[in-house]
Amino acid sequence: MPDTLTTDPGRDTDSVWIPAQSTTVGADNDYPEEGPSKTVSVDGFWIQKHQVTNTQYAEFVSATGYVTVAERPLDPADYPGAPATNLQPGSMVFHRTAGPVDLRHLSQWWTWTPGASWQHPRGPRSSVRGRENHPVVHIAYEDAVAYADWSGQALPTEAEWEVAARGGLDRATYTWGDEPERADQKLANYWHGEFPYLPDKGYGQTTPVGSFPANGYGLFDMAGNVWEWTADFYGEDRSTTPCCGTESYDPSQPQFAIPRRVVKGGSFLCADSYCMRYRPSARRPQMVDTGMSHIGFRCIRR
C-alpha cells in the first residue's frame, strides 16, 4: 500500500492516498447533529489535496460548455409568488454588516444577488481575476458532480471526507489536534475578529488554496476556507441516514421540496462566537440547488 503522501498516478496529480481504516467519526458534544459518534470502516481512496480552484473549474467549463445552476434562467412557474428580481439567475452572496447585529437573523449578511456566480463571486461586476487559485464558489451540488464526472472522479461520502480531514488523528477535535488555535498561530481560514462585520486582517474572505498548514495526510483547507459538498443526503444526526432525497427535506420548511446534502469543513465565515463548524465532526445541510459564496468542493478517486 502506498504511503499517504504518494501522488495520484491518475488524471489528477493533486491527490494523495488515504489508507483503508476503521475509525471514529462524529462527536458527542453540544451540537446534536454531530452525534452519536460511531466507528466506521472505509476503503482506501485518493483525495485532492486542495479544494477545486477557479482555474480548474474554468478548464472544465471551457472543455464542456457547462453552465452552472446559478447561471441558468429561472422558470417563474417553479417559484410562484417570488419577486421578479429573484427570478433572475444569481446566487447568495455574503456581505459584511455595518456593525453588530442579532446573529439569529442570517438575512442581515446574506443577500440574493442576481448575476452572482462562480465567475462573478461578489455580483455581476466582479470577476475571478486575481483569484484564480482561490476555491471555486457558488457551486450547487450538480455543478460539483458534473466536474467530478468530467475529471473521472467522484464526491466523497461524509465518512470518507471526515476520515481524510482528521489526518490520522483519532477523535481529535480539530484537524490539527485537540487544542484550539493559539493567538500566535494561523492554522485555518475561519473568521477571526468580530462577526459578521469586522474581520481581522487577512480573514473574512476566501484565500488561495494551500495558504494554511496541511493536516497529517497532507490535505489543505479541510478546516475553513469554503464548505465542501459530500455525496450523502442529510439526516438530523449520525444515526439517521436518508436513503433518498425526499427523506432529507427540511421538516421545518415543508414548502421547499428540495433534497439536502451534507456539507463539511466550515468556511471563512465560521466564527467561534457564532459557528464553530470548522471541526471535522461538524456538518450542516445544504439544499442541492443552492450555491453560495462560501461553498465549494474537492473530489476523490476510489
Side-chain angles (χ1 to χ4, degrees), residues 85-120:
T85 185
N86 288 0
L87 294 176
Q88 305 174 57
S91 189
M92 297 295 290
V93 175
F94 167 75
H95 294 280
R96 300 176 193 171
T97 60
V101 294
D102 186 338
L103 298 182
R104 294 174 297 178
H105 302 293
L106 284 68
S107 60
Q108 294 178 103
W109 57 88
W110 283 109
T111 305
W112 171 258
T113 305
S117 69
W118 77 272
Q119 299 186 80
H120 307 285

Side-chain angles (χ1 to χ4, degrees), residues 16 33 35-36 56 77 86 96 102 104 111 125 131 186 192 196 206 210-211 225 254 264:
V16 295
E33 72 277 5
Q56 291 172 310
N86 288 0
R96 300 176 193 171
D102 186 338
R104 294 174 297 178
T111 305
R125 296 184 180 180
R131 301 169 66 86
K186 292 186 176 182
H192 294 62
T206 61
S211 296
N225 217 8
K264 299 281 285 184

Side-chain angles (χ1 to χ4, degrees), residues 8-255:
D8 183 353
R11 176 191 179 108
D12 188 349
T13 58
D14 184 44
S15 296
V16 295
W17 177 255
I18 307 300
Q21 58 192 277
S22 294
T23 190
T24 301
V25 296
D28 302 303
N29 54 27
D30 293 334
Y31 296 84
E33 72 277 5
E34 297 180 23
S37 60
K38 61 181 181 179
T39 299
V40 299
S41 295
V42 298
D43 294 331
F45 59 94
W46 297 98
I47 185 169
Q48 290 179 299
K49 290 187 290 186
H50 303 103
Q51 295 158 340
V52 173
T53 65
N54 285 313
T55 290
Q56 291 172 310
Y57 208 80
E59 292 171 353
F60 157 61
V61 169
S62 177
T64 64
Y66 183 81
V67 177
T68 63
V69 171
E71 299 170 290
R72 300 173 193 169
L74 302 181
D75 183 350
D78 293 336
Y79 305 91
T85 185
N86 288 0
L87 294 176
Q88 305 174 57
S91 189
M92 297 295 290
V93 175
F94 167 75
H95 294 280
R96 300 176 193 171
T97 60
V101 294
D102 186 338
L103 298 182
R104 294 174 297 178
H105 302 293
L106 284 68
S107 60
Q108 294 178 103
W109 57 88
W110 283 109
T111 305
W112 171 258
T113 305
S117 69
W118 77 272
Q119 299 186 80
H120 307 285
R122 297 179 181 177
R125 296 184 180 180
S126 67
S127 75
V128 294
R129 184 174 182 179
R131 301 169 66 86
E132 290 84 357
N133 204 35
H134 286 235
V136 65
V137 292
H138 296 295
I139 297 297
Y141 180 76
E142 68 178 88
D143 302 331
V145 170
Y147 176 94
D149 290 345
W150 170 78
S151 62
Q153 302 180 92
L155 295 183
T157 65
E158 181 176 10
E160 288 170 333
W161 191 97
E162 190 167 328
V163 165
R166 290 184 181 276
L169 300 176
D170 185 44
R171 301 174 187 262
T173 302
Y174 304 97
T175 59
W176 56 82
D178 287 320
E179 297 300 318
E181 182 188 78
R182 301 191 308 267
D184 63 342
Q185 295 177 306
K186 292 186 176 182
L187 299 180
N189 182 22
Y190 61 93
W191 190 279
H192 294 62
E194 300 298 325
F195 183 81
Y197 63 98
L198 187 62
D200 291 347
K201 184 177 180 180
Y203 297 95
Q205 59 184 337
T206 61
T207 51
V209 298
S211 296
F212 292 79
N215 72 359
Y217 285 147
L219 303 174
F220 296 88
D221 297 314
M222 298 301 281
N225 217 8
V226 296
W227 287 95
E228 301 181 22
W229 286 105
T230 73
D232 287 356
F233 289 114
Y234 183 84
E236 63 182 8
D237 57 34
R238 296 301 183 109
S239 64
T240 305
T241 305
C243 68
C244 54
T246 56
E247 291 190 4
S248 72
Y249 292 172
D250 186 350
S252 68
Q253 295 183 309
Q255 70 274 31

